[in-house]
Amino acid sequence: MDAPQQPAAGSRLRPLPDSSADRPAGREPALGVLARMREDVETTLARDPSIMTKAEALFHSTLPAVWLHRAAHRLYRGKHRIGARVLTSVARVLTGVEIHPGAKVGRRLFIDHGTGVVVGETAVIGDDVTIYQQVTLGAVGWWRDNLRDDGERRHPVVGDRVTLGANATVLGPLVIGDDAMLGAHSLVLKDVGPGEKVLAEPSADWRPRRGGAEERA
């Protein structure tokens, strides 16, 4: 999967926020809180065709989940775990998105629709990632994780510019490479290389039957 391209001149597509101009590869310039929030609004406007203006993007249903996670993650790192958990719970109630305060999330994360998204404690999400509803970045299970050494990662690492389709499930301490795409309903239990696509097995074809019912092709 190629990296997202800026639209050609005269195109009706919105330009993506610039994530690489005038900076060395792999480094992001530091931004203040308000600048990060403005960047999130611009990202939402660029990636959601149903959003027409920045004012409308400001009220996108999942932005509070991203913003509250940043505050919760700062509290978590400062050992204020109860406060971090409270903010995470508020985000879940408001948006249906549950990002553990220990998870590390990069810039320009876009969560579309959002309901049912779960991100585990040791997950790492890169820059410019797009996540659709009901995505899980989870662990294999407590019966295996309780056997791991303290501090050992239990959740996935997701690279830059990755797209996670609706209901994609990624389990365990695996790595999803840059520019990978996981299709809707895909189940991922091993590493995915950069640029690779993972697609779920399609359902059987159906065709109309007389009287309006359907039958398997």
Side-chain angles (χ1 to χ4, degrees):
M1 172 183 167
D2 296 333
Q5 300 294 318
Q6 296 289 352
S11 171
R12 296 180 62 184
L13 297 177
R14 307 184 186 101
L16 298 174
D18 188 359
S19 62
S20 59
D22 302 323
R23 64 174 175 84
R27 296 183 58 186
E28 290 277 11
L31 289 181
V33 173
L34 292 180
R36 289 286 295 273
M37 294 176 73
R38 285 195 296 269
E39 184 178 67
D40 294 329
V41 170
E42 292 171 356
T43 297
T44 300
L45 180 63
R47 297 192 210 171
D48 191 336
S50 72
I51 300 295
M52 295 293 104
T53 66
K54 289 184 179 180
E56 186 180 358
L58 184 63
F59 293 96
H60 192 275
S61 59
T62 62
L63 276 179
V66 176
W67 292 340
L68 286 170
H69 170 73
R70 290 198 188 122
H73 183 65
R74 181 166 295 185
L75 288 174
Y76 187 85
R77 292 179 60 189
K79 308 300 183 182
H80 302 293
R81 295 173 64 96
I82 301 301
R85 287 284 191 174
V86 169
L87 289 182
T88 298
S89 296
V90 170
R92 183 176 65 240
V93 170
L94 291 177
T95 68
V97 175
E98 182 176 349
I99 306 175
H100 192 284
K104 298 178 181 179
V105 176
R107 287 172 55 179
R108 296 175 296 278
L109 171 65
F110 175 61
I111 304 175
D112 201 1
H113 302 295
T115 301
V117 168
V118 176
V119 179
E121 178 186 18
T122 63
V124 178
I125 299 176
D127 298 331
D128 301 295
V129 171
T130 299
I131 298 177
Y132 288 89
Q133 66 272 18
Q134 298 181 317
V135 164
T136 298
L137 300 178
V140 175
W142 63 265
W143 52 90
R144 181 172 299 182
D145 293 333
N146 283 348
L147 301 177
R148 299 184 191 277
D149 295 333
D150 290 343
E152 186 177 352
R153 191 165 51 82
R154 309 186 310 277
H155 301 92
V157 171
V158 177
D160 298 339
R161 299 173 301 279
V162 171
T163 298
L164 305 172
N167 204 36
T169 300
V170 187
L171 302 179
L174 50 80
V175 176
I176 307 299
D178 295 347
D179 302 298
M181 175 184 287
L182 308 186
H185 297 277
S186 55
L187 174 61
V188 180
L189 301 174
K190 60 182 181 180
D191 292 350
V192 176
E196 290 186 5
K197 293 183 180 180
V198 177
L199 302 177
E201 186 71 21
S203 60
D205 292 332
W206 294 80
R207 62 188 179 191
R209 181 188 293 174
R210 293 179 182 178
E214 292 183 336
E215 63 180 4
R216 196 181 299 271

